[in-house]
Amino acid sequence: MFRTALRNVLAHKARLLMTVLAVTLGVAFVSGTLVFTDTLKKSLSSQSAKSYDGVAVSVSSYGQTRDDDGQKQGDPGIGQATLDKVAATGGVASVTGRVTGFAGIGDEKGKLIGQGWSNAGSNFAPGKDGKDPRSAFVDGAGPTKADQIALDKDSAAAGNYKVGDKVRVATKGPVKEYTLSGVFTTEDGAVKAGGSLVLFTTPVAQEMFLKPGFYQDLTIAAQPGTSADKLLADIKPLLDKNAHAKTGTALAAEQAKDIQTQLGGMSNMLLAFAGISLFVGVFLIYNTFTMLVSQRTKELALLRAVGAARGQVMRSVLAEALVVGLLSAVIGLVTGIGLAIGMRSAMNSFGAKLPGGDLVIAPGTIVWALVIGVVVTVVAAMLPAWRTGRIAPVAAMGSAHLPASSKSLVLRNVFGCILGGLGVGGTLLGVSTGGGDGRMTIAAGAFFLLIGLIVLLPLLSRPVIGALRPPLQKIFGVPGKLAAQNALRNPRRTAVTAASLAIGLTLVTTLSVLGITMGKAIDRLSTDNIKADYRVSMSEGVRGGGLDVSVPETLAKAKGVKEVSAVAESSFQVKGDFRSASGVNPATIADLLNVQVTSGSLGSLGKGEVAVSEKEAKKQKLSVGSTLDAQFADGRKSPLKVGAVYKNLDELVSPYLVDSKLLSPSGEEQYIRWVYVNTTAGATAAGEQAVVDALGKNPAMTVATQQDMRDELGGMINIALNIMYGLLGMALIISVLGVVNTLAMSVFERVQEIGMLRAIGLDRGRVKNMIRLEAVVISLFGAILGVAIGIFLAWAVGTTLSDTIPGYALVLPWDRIGIFLLLAGVVGVLAAMWPARSAARLNMLTAIKTE
């Protein structure tokens, strides 16, 4: 029987081709993801371990803490006295103190070089030999004067900087100009990740990033023969409670673990989409084996007649699936390895600067690829294989296929209705629950709803395709009428073929409606609530992200600037409960943001009072005149009187608005996220230039117009949608393969019928049209159902987001929905090209004689 199965596989190569492709694509996605992430983990871990070469012990400071009264305790970092004590410890070869913060440089056009999140500034810390172990200079030397810096080689090349050039360095405050003293290479992780590294003299770096005389980290090298663990034990007693020490080996292991965790999210997302592709592929495989079994009824019945047991016949079909699965898994594994290589090259071409290293093909990846390919194929073929056991030996005497019993269809419809009801009920329950819990309930409901849809598709095919039949007949004549009839001839087959398209378009439609609705809500948020001409912020991805307290002061004094207000994020406590607050300029905030006061007066902020959002006021039972016993982040305690209640501006400011001077007089405890600006020239090129000039043309800062703000927020959503579309494209490709497979086998089954149609006058062109229209009908059937369920799920999920996104209101993107349906029709036409051509080329006399 196994030899019979092998012969059947070889005899039906063309019919099994689409199944092989479907499984191959899914396995390639899985294996490619595993190879890519394993390779990335190993290379990043190796790079991380390399950065700790020669490090016996590393000491880091948590910085100052606060006591119960909010007073600062301890030193801001590791003092010079502590460094000297560590250096004097037995077994210590050298100690290097480091301070690190954000520092970036611009290219010739003033654009920030490197990735903002990994642009760093630190101190040049030479040892007794005059060399810094972290930096190998290829030109010049390290900075020795306050007005000098050194740059990493890649950043210097990107900016065309040479030793002796003047370089403008951006920090959170005003830009400063330094002389380039040297260019170096480094194994620093920030540079390897695509960022830049600027080295200052130690006093300058301490003044800029921490406090004179203090370090954030110490790197300790051991003398030969000294154990890192012993050195760690000797050093720990020398440190204050705000510092901690670990061996270099332990830190390298921790970083490797962190890398695994960080890459795990990306890996899981890619694997989830691979799972969707494999799930869609199951329908194609099931359909293929169902049709093969149906076409081989006489052959299988003959095997039964000559003595084959039911189990043997079933196992022969499963053996075919096993062979197909193994073949597909091997091809998919090889394709996945190629995909991983392509992904790494693509990320490097986009400037990600991934570390080099050999490709990692773990044994687990090979096992998973083989197991997934075989299991998916065999599981999908189990039901068709089970049906072979029901074929009676007497069927060998006739050519009739065994039709599905009416009882099985009734049971299927009942089961489908139950699952669909559970899905709809679960989704509506999630809507009523709301929030994160509601979304989880909706996800469960969506699962049951999709499974119910798949089960009910044969029942739904008749009314939906029946509605398409009249216009098809009217427009295309006889080919249109025959196409609709053929699509309804085998509702189960049509349903399974349409299921993959329905699932893909359900996901695409849900994401599209949600994305566009959120984009419109955010667009209204910026249009309706931001009155300022410009918004100043740190460039996207810059570490720390907050602006220096000097920025709003500098802008307020600049020529051409009319009104300025920072939005400084901080908090205060009320009876131990933290309340998020935004510090603003009371004199100008009303001219920059549309703060709609429902009671009280916004002018009360200038009197040291607080404005509270409606939502927060309702939650805390506050009103104008209420008093809060507040303790601020710097330890001050002061009663705060509620002077105004305003409509929620959740995405722009915190629930509490206060004068920024009251929030933190020194500005030290503030995180300045944005600074809003109005200029005398208004929203014009001259006004924007006035702001840019006032900031010293700082490449690390972004000056955004209102349109920029809308584009920025909407662009993030569009990027996310495009990524989702790309990943879901795999599932849609498999859907196309399913349509091709169904039509090809349908043409094979109907050879005699097509010959008769040709004999009575249906020419080749109309035969092609009949096959094409059949494909379009099947595709549109799946697309219509997918779009309908996608809109329903998008509405359900949207109701749980409406409380967190101001102005959220469902928007149906009819243009995109129309494109989805049009693409479904195009998919049908493309999928029908080969089957239609095959049908038209049939010799009518030979076809009529075919049984």
Side-chain angles (χ1 to χ4, degrees):
M1 294 302 294
F2 185 72
R3 287 197 299 270
T4 302
L6 286 176
R7 283 198 297 269
N8 280 325
V9 171
L10 294 173
H12 303 111
K13 294 187 292 291
R15 298 184 220 174
L16 290 168
L17 176 63
M18 299 305 170
T19 295
V20 171
L21 284 175
V23 180
T24 296
L25 287 173
V27 171
F29 212 157
V30 172
S31 57
T33 296
L34 293 174
V35 170
F36 175 70
T37 52
D38 286 346
T39 301
L40 201 54
K41 286 174 186 175
K42 183 179 178 181
S43 56
L44 289 174
S45 297
S46 297
Q47 177 183 288
S48 173
K50 192 174 182 180
S51 67
Y52 284 101
D53 283 349
V55 177
V57 177
S58 179
V59 180
S60 298
S61 172
Y62 292 116
Q64 292 177 306
T65 58
R66 293 187 181 277
D67 59 20
D68 294 339
D69 294 326
Q71 299 299 316
K72 290 183 178 179
Q73 298 291 311
D75 293 328
I78 303 167
Q80 185 66 42
T82 301
L83 185 149
D84 293 338
K85 289 179 184 178
V86 171
T89 302
V92 172
S94 65
V95 181
T96 305
R98 301 285 184 192
V99 283
T100 305
F102 167 74
I105 58 170
D107 58 18
E108 295 172 333
K109 298 180 180 179
K111 186 178 179 182
L112 187 68
I113 292 174
Q115 309 292 331
W117 60 271
S118 55
N119 286 347
S122 188
N123 59 308
F124 174 63
K128 294 177 182 178
D129 58 357
K131 297 180 180 179
D132 188 328
R134 188 170 66 170
S135 313
F137 280 84
V138 295
D139 192 13
T144 56
K145 298 179 181 179
D147 63 346
Q148 292 181 332
I149 60 163
L151 279 178
D152 69 273
K153 183 180 177 181
D154 290 343
S155 299
N160 289 321
Y161 292 119
K162 297 179 177 60
V163 172
D165 287 351
K166 296 293 183 182
V167 181
R168 298 171 73 250
V169 179
T171 59
K172 294 181 182 181
V175 175
K176 293 182 181 180
E177 194 169 75
Y178 297 84
T179 300
L180 183 62
S181 67
V183 176
F184 58 88
T185 59
T186 179
E187 292 297 326
D188 184 87
V191 175
K192 293 295 184 181
S196 62
L197 179 62
V198 183
L199 295 182
F200 305 87
T201 62
T202 295
V204 169
Q206 289 176 329
E207 178 72 34
M208 187 179 295
F209 301 130
L210 191 60
K211 189 176 180 179
F214 289 92
Y215 302 91
Q216 293 162 330
D217 305 285
L218 300 181
T219 301
I220 303 156
Q223 292 179 355
T226 303
S227 164
D229 291 329
K230 182 180 183 305
L231 205 58
L232 177 65
D234 293 340
I235 289 171
K236 276 187 174 181
L238 305 176
L239 309 175
D240 65 22
K241 64 180 181 180
N242 294 332
H244 64 99
K246 291 186 178 181
T247 63
T249 305
L251 285 171
E254 283 185 9
Q255 283 204 5
K257 187 177 180 180
D258 290 341
I259 289 167
Q260 296 236 7
T261 302
Q262 291 166 7
L263 291 177
M266 178 182 70
S267 177
N268 290 338
M269 182 185 73
L270 292 173
L271 289 174
F273 284 98
I276 292 171
S277 298
L278 287 167
F279 181 64
V280 171
V282 166
F283 297 99
L284 190 157
I285 300 163
Y286 167 80
N287 217 12
T288 299
F289 278 93
T290 297
M291 288 185 282
L292 283 174
V293 168
S294 177
Q295 291 167 8
R296 290 161 47 201
T297 299
K298 283 187 67 175
E299 174 192 330
L300 294 170
L302 188 59
L303 287 173
R304 292 277 287 115
V306 297
R310 288 187 176 186
Q312 287 180 300
V313 175
M314 290 173 60
R315 286 193 293 274
S316 72
V317 175
L318 291 177
E320 290 181 45
L322 177 65
V323 172
V324 171
L326 274 173
L327 177 64
S328 304
V330 171
I331 298 173
L333 176 61
V334 175
T335 306
I337 293 170
L339 181 64
I341 296 171
M343 289 170 69
R344 188 163 68 168
S345 300
M347 291 189 72
N348 281 322
S349 67
F350 286 126
K353 295 177 74 172
L354 298 180
D358 295 333
L359 208 64
V360 178
I361 306 173
T365 300
I366 298 173
V367 171
W368 273 113
L370 295 176
V371 168
I372 289 171
V374 171
V375 169
V376 167
T377 310
V378 171
V379 168
M382 285 185 72
L383 185 57
W386 176 77
R387 286 177 180 160
T388 61
R390 300 170 60 198
I391 298 175
V394 72
M397 299 173 63
S399 60
H401 298 155
L402 295 179
S405 66
S406 59
K407 179 181 177 182
S408 68
L409 288 174
V410 170
L411 289 173
R412 176 175 181 146
N413 293 337
V414 170
F415 184 58
C417 288
I418 292 172
L419 288 175
L422 286 173
V424 173
T427 304
L428 295 178
L429 178 61
V431 169
S432 62
T433 304
D437 292 339
R439 286 191 287 275
M440 293 299 293
T441 306
I442 290 171
F447 174 77
F448 284 108
L449 183 58
L450 282 174
I451 299 299
L453 169 70
I454 292 166
V455 176
L456 286 173
L457 277 174
L459 179 66
L460 296 172
S461 64
R462 295 192 178 278
V464 176
I465 296 178
L468 295 173
R469 179 176 172 180
L472 284 174
Q473 184 173 350
K474 185 174 182 180
I475 297 171
F476 298 101
V478 173
K481 178 181 179 181
L482 291 174
Q485 288 177 339
N486 289 333
L488 287 173
R489 177 180 296 183
N490 192 328
R492 292 190 183 209
R493 183 187 302 172
T494 298
V496 175
T497 306
S500 53
L501 266 176
I503 293 168
L505 279 175
T506 294
L507 296 171
V508 169
T509 303
T510 302
L511 292 171
S512 296
V513 173
L514 282 173
I516 290 171
T517 300
M518 287 191 289
K520 293 289 185 182
I522 291 171
D523 185 63
R524 286 193 296 270
L525 175 70
S526 57
T527 303
D528 297 343
N529 296 323
I530 298 176
K531 297 160 68 175
D533 296 332
Y534 306 102
R535 185 195 69 196
V536 177
S537 62
M538 295 301 286
S539 296
E540 183 181 356
V542 170
R543 64 167 67 187
L547 295 161
D548 191 81
V549 292
S550 64
V551 172
E553 297 171 2
T554 301
L555 286 170
K557 298 174 185 176
K559 183 179 179 181
V561 174
K562 185 168 59 173
E563 290 143 346
V564 175
S565 177
V567 175
E569 302 299 332
S570 188
S571 64
F572 57 83
Q573 294 184 60
V574 178
K575 297 179 180 179
D577 181 26
F578 280 92
R579 310 285 175 90
S580 297
S582 292
V584 298
N585 185 341
T588 60
I589 189 63
D591 296 317
L592 298 164
L593 294 180
N594 185 21
V595 184
Q596 299 180 43
V597 176
T598 56
S599 61
S601 169
L602 204 59
S604 62
L605 296 179
K607 302 175 185 178
E609 297 179 358
V610 61
V612 188
S613 70
E614 280 186 322
K615 186 192 298 184
E616 183 69 11
K618 184 178 180 181
K619 177 182 176 182
Q620 303 294 345
K621 299 179 181 178
L622 299 174
S623 60
V624 173
S626 299
T627 301
L628 300 169
D629 294 324
Q631 179 178 339
F632 294 95
D634 57 6
R636 290 176 298 110
K637 293 181 180 179
S638 175
L640 271 182
K641 181 181 178 181
V642 177
V645 176
Y646 64 93
K647 289 189 176 180
N648 302 321
L649 291 172
D650 293 341
E651 298 299 314
L652 300 177
V653 294
S654 298
Y656 294 88
L657 284 182
V658 297
D659 186 339
S660 57
K661 293 179 181 178
L662 175 67
L663 193 61
S664 177
S666 66
E668 187 177 332
E669 307 300 333
Q670 299 180 18
Y671 173 86
I672 300 179
R673 185 180 180 189
W674 294 315
V675 175
Y676 290 100
V677 184
N678 275 337
T679 63
T680 53
T684 62
E688 184 174 357
Q689 192 61 49
V691 178
V692 172
D693 291 342
L695 295 170
K697 298 180 180 178
N698 192 325
M701 294 184 188
T702 299
V703 179
T705 64
Q706 285 203 6
Q707 186 59 48
D708 292 333
M709 297 177 220
R710 288 195 291 270
D711 293 343
E712 174 190 323
L713 295 169
M716 290 162 54
I717 292 173
N718 287 332
I719 289 172
L721 279 177
N722 290 335
I723 292 173
M724 296 298 181
Y725 289 158
L727 293 171
L728 288 170
M730 186 74 74
L732 294 179
I733 290 172
I734 294 175
S735 301
V736 174
L737 296 179
V739 177
V740 173
N741 211 28
T742 297
L743 290 175
M745 292 198 174
S746 178
V747 168
F748 176 82
E749 285 181 352
R750 289 153 44 199
V751 167
Q752 188 179 61
E753 175 189 321
I754 292 171
M756 290 296 294
L757 290 172
R758 292 275 288 111
I760 61 175
L762 197 68
D763 59 31
R764 291 185 175 183
R766 287 196 287 179
V767 168
K768 286 183 178 180
N769 281 343
M770 177 184 71
I771 303 298
R772 291 193 195 105
L773 290 172
E774 183 179 346
V776 170
V777 166
I778 293 173
S779 299
L780 284 178
F781 168 51
I784 290 169
L785 293 177
V787 166
I789 294 177
I791 292 173
F792 172 66
L793 293 177
W795 164 80
V797 175
T799 58
T800 67
L801 298 171
S802 57
D803 289 340
T804 57
I805 301 178
Y808 184 95
L810 187 69
V811 176
L812 295 181
W814 294 112
D815 53 342
R816 294 205 186 190
I817 290 173
I819 290 173
F820 295 158
L821 295 176
L822 179 62
L823 286 175
V826 172
V827 162
V829 172
L830 294 176
M833 288 179 65
W834 174 50
R837 185 167 175 268
S838 299
R841 292 175 63 189
L842 288 173
N843 182 290
M844 69 177 74
L845 295 178
T846 304
I848 290 171
K849 291 188 294 180
T850 302
E851 291 187 8

